Amino acid sequence: MQHILVTGGTGTLGRLVVPRLRDDGCKVRVLSRRSREAGEGIAFVTGDLTTGEGIEAAVEEAEIIVHCAGSSKGDEEKTLNLVQAASRAGARHLVYISVVGADRIPVGSFVDRAMFGYFASKLAAERVVVDSGLPWTTLRATQFHDSILTVAQAMAKLPIVPVPAGFRFQPVDADEVAARLVQLTLGEPAGLVSELGGPRVYTMADLLRGYLYAKHRRRLIMSVWLPGQAARAHRVGANLTPDHADGTRTWEEFLADRLGSPNTPLPSTY
Ligand SMILES: NC(=O)c1ccc[n+]([C@@H]2O[C@H](COP(=O)([O-])OP(=O)(O)OC[C@H]3O[C@@H](n4cnc5c(N)ncnc54)[C@H](OP(=O)(O)O)[C@@H]3O)[C@@H](O)[C@H]2O)c1
């Protein structure tokens, strides 16, 4: 039985990874900042990757670490704290989830950092993994449907909704990412593997319209030009991976399941 630590095992992606690993016969431990009761064959350990508190105990006896913990800032620091402890504990495989575009979206100016610093922090964390001395696998995925939904829900609260001009997204289903990550976790360390993107590319306005249609709402959508190099890179599709559109579940199918709306194409007039 393989001993596996999943960081971020309580998050959108991690909570889909954890039961798959357990059902594959692994002994799974989840790291969380909040104390949680063990249950359904899953053990929890309390710790914080930012402060380093509890990390030594978390990595103890873990042969494989699946690093799904993340936030909009500070992933480099969190990853460094994790790999230092994992190296001392002698882990034999570190699996990391990054984002498509991490290597292609330049984050130079203050404006870039303020809006798109996430991509720089994912790239820096990727480098920490490469330099860790541990055998590693990194998968870059596009935005999960859940994240697009969170953004759409927030935007739809506004009477007039600003959307970044020329931005397109290729949302992927978090469960499909989880399946791929588990397959990689149970395989040999493979370095940087093929990216994983969703089946279709949408403009931000179309993603938002799809959500509004599913909720029977209407909003005025206003295109806004974003400054900076990172925004320019988005406009030329640096956040997309059309050659790896391997996900199968569409945004419309996700909305139909999540919101209970009919899975019908968006009328062109909506
Ligand atoms: N969402 C996307 O569209 C997307 C796309 C591509 C890649 N990714 C990457 O996939 C990973 C998971 O994303 P997600 O959307 O599933 O994230 P999420 O739902 O926001 O969950 C974040 C997880 O990170 C843990 N976490 C945050 N800060 C922590 C800290 N200081 N110490 C320990 N644990 C911490 C949280 O655990 P507790 O709250 O229990 O402590 C939680 O389980 C991230 O690395 C993200 O960058 C996400």
Side-chain angles (χ1 to χ4, degrees):
M1 189 184 262
Q2 306 200 76
H3 289 235
I4 303 189
L5 170 70
V6 182
T7 75
T10 56
T12 304
L13 175 65
R15 61 173 174 255
L16 299 168
V17 166
V18 166
R20 282 175 179 271
L21 288 171
R22 179 204 52 206
D23 296 347
D24 274 334
C26 302
K27 189 165 181 191
V28 184
R29 184 191 296 161
V30 168
L31 172 72
S32 172
R33 287 165 295 179
R34 282 198 296 129
S35 149
R36 293 165 195 261
E37 289 290 309
E40 298 178 357
I42 310 294
F44 286 88
V45 56
T46 309
D48 189 324
L49 289 168
T50 303
T51 62
E53 202 186 328
I55 307 308
E56 299 288 339
V59 297
E60 208 176 307
E61 289 176 16
E63 297 161 78
I64 304 175
I65 299 175
V66 187
H67 182 28
C68 296
S71 49
S72 56
K73 284 186 189 156
D75 277 6
E76 179 181 10
E77 185 189 20
K78 287 197 269 296
T79 305
L80 189 59
N81 284 334
L82 178 68
V83 301
Q84 285 174 343
S87 298
R88 286 192 291 273
R92 62 171 176 80
H93 189 182
L94 173 63
V95 182
Y96 184 55
I97 177 74
S98 187
V99 66
V100 167
D103 57 332
R104 295 194 292 264
I105 295 178
V107 181
S109 65
F110 172 78
V111 169
D112 289 339
R113 269 198 307 283
M115 288 187 291
F116 301 102
Y118 169 71
F119 289 91
S121 120
K122 294 305 283 183
L123 184 62
E126 282 187 15
R127 289 183 177 144
V128 168
V129 170
V130 173
D131 295 341
S132 66
L134 295 166
W136 59 276
T137 301
T138 292
L139 170 67
R140 291 179 181 148
T142 54
Q143 275 68 38
F144 308 156
H145 290 133
D146 309 73
S147 302
I148 302 278
L149 177 61
T150 303
V151 171
Q153 283 167 332
M155 285 173 134
K157 293 199 170 103
L158 301 167
I160 300 176
V161 186
V163 298
F167 274 45
R168 290 166 296 149
F169 294 91
Q170 189 182 342
V172 66
D173 203 69
D175 200 40
E176 294 180 329
V177 180
R180 179 81 180 282
L181 211 55
V182 165
Q183 188 189 37
L184 293 166
T185 300
L186 300 178
E188 291 302 310
L192 185 62
V193 298
S194 299
E195 297 180 339
L196 177 55
R200 287 188 202 159
V201 172
Y202 303 79
T203 64
M204 186 63 221
D206 276 344
L207 290 167
L208 182 63
R209 279 194 202 97
Y211 168 74
L212 292 168
Y213 181 60
K215 296 290 284 182
H216 310 289
R217 289 201 215 152
R218 284 185 182 269
R219 291 285 183 278
L220 209 58
I221 295 176
M222 189 178 65
S223 216
V224 176
W225 188 263
L226 293 186
Q229 283 196 333
R232 190 178 311 132
H234 273 84
R235 284 190 290 274
V236 297
N239 58 322
L240 308 175
T241 186
D243 293 342
H244 299 288
D246 299 327
T248 59
R249 197 171 182 219
T250 63
W251 172 238
E252 293 79 5
E253 286 165 347
F254 167 81
L255 287 175
D257 287 350
R258 185 61 65 88
L259 304 177
S261 55
N263 179 13
T264 50
L266 180 68
S268 56
T269 52
Y270 206 80

